[in-house]
Amino acid sequence: EVQLVESGGGLVQAGGSLRLSCVASGFAFDDYHIGWFRQAPGKEREGVSYVKKWDRSTYYTDSAKGRFTISTDNAKNTVYLHMNNLKPEDTAVYYCAADASDWGYQFMKPNWDYWGQGTQVTVRS
């Protein structure tokens, strides 16, 4: 059974921080790119950050760069998203996802292979 289980969401004040966790099971974690997406009400799901399957090098979209940090513990099949200086526009459901592609993953479209159920992040102004 493939599972990606997110945790760590919650309600925070603007300028605050959260750490999201994603625990994966049921598939070959080391063979997949692991990423974070988010979706605000009424908006399309968008990519936030990912680590590559080959070397766990990192990538950030413009909205995340400089404020968020993704990290991976391959031994624990876990990825984290440390979010600092949160802004109200960061409010969304955050999803963990996994993808085995060799090219398409980098466009961070919402068509990755596996998805978690999401965790709500709400940033109050």
Side-chain angles (χ1 to χ4, degrees):
E1 180 183 12
V2 171
Q3 287 191 313
L4 292 165
V5 181
E6 303 98 333
S7 62
L11 174 65
V12 297
Q13 293 285 109
S17 300
L18 284 173
R19 187 186 74 165
L20 307 183
S21 299
C22 172
V23 180
S25 61
F27 66 98
F29 183 80
D30 291 352
D31 294 333
Y32 285 76
H33 314 289
I34 309 296
W36 290 94
F37 295 72
R38 67 186 184 185
Q39 188 167 24
K43 297 184 179 180
E44 294 186 349
R45 193 168 300 186
E46 64 176 0
V48 177
S49 180
Y50 65 78
V51 291
K52 294 179 180 179
K53 64 181 181 180
W54 300 290
D55 58 2
R56 292 294 184 235
S57 58
T58 61
Y59 170 83
Y60 302 93
T61 57
D62 288 343
S63 63
K65 189 175 183 180
R67 298 188 298 125
F68 295 0
T69 302
I70 190 169
S71 61
T72 308
D73 187 339
N74 277 354
K76 296 181 178 180
N77 289 356
T78 301
V79 295
Y80 305 94
L81 186 68
H82 298 261
M83 304 187 293
N84 297 314
N85 192 25
L86 284 161
K87 305 177 185 298
E89 53 262 42
D90 296 318
T91 295
V93 177
Y94 283 71
Y95 298 90
C96 179
D99 192 76
S101 69
D102 290 328
W103 183 253
Y105 70 94
Q106 63 189 294
F107 303 107
M108 294 214 82
K109 295 183 178 180
N111 62 356
W112 283 27
D113 295 336
Y114 304 133
W115 292 84
Q117 80 275 29
T119 185
Q120 176 71 47
V121 171
T122 302
V123 183
R124 189 174 67 182
S125 62

